Amino acid sequence: KAPGVVVEDDLPNQGYPLAVRATGKYETFVGRIREDISHPSALDMWIVSDNLLKGAALNAVQIAEYLV
């Protein structure tokens, strides 16, 4: 439910995030979300994004817009 986050977690249909599909998109893609067997409160997940588009500078602008 977070803005800019797309969950792709459909392993039987090979629906999981791939860097090649994130290219040119501002969203961050998350998938393969699983419980971590090493800690009861932890999760494992695969996260991909286009780092040239969605980098520290864009994050700073989005945070500033949210705060305003």
Side-chain angles (χ1 to χ4, degrees), residues 39-68:
H39 193 279
S41 299
L43 293 174
D44 294 325
M45 63 187 79
W46 187 259
I47 302 171
V48 298
S49 66
D50 186 330
N51 290 331
L52 295 177
L53 291 177
K54 183 68 176 174
L58 179 58
N59 283 340
V61 169
Q62 289 175 328
I63 290 168
E65 289 174 342
Y66 177 79
L67 292 174
V68 170

Side-chain angles (χ1 to χ4, degrees), residues 16-60:
Y16 46 85
L18 295 174
V20 69
R21 291 198 311 246
T23 301
K25 298 179 181 163
Y26 286 101
E27 295 83 11
T28 299
F29 299 87
V30 180
R32 295 187 175 186
I33 304 166
R34 307 289 182 266
E35 291 182 29
D36 187 327
I37 61 171
S38 68
H39 193 279
S41 299
L43 293 174
D44 294 325
M45 63 187 79
W46 187 259
I47 302 171
V48 298
S49 66
D50 186 330
N51 290 331
L52 295 177
L53 291 177
K54 183 68 176 174
L58 179 58
N59 283 340

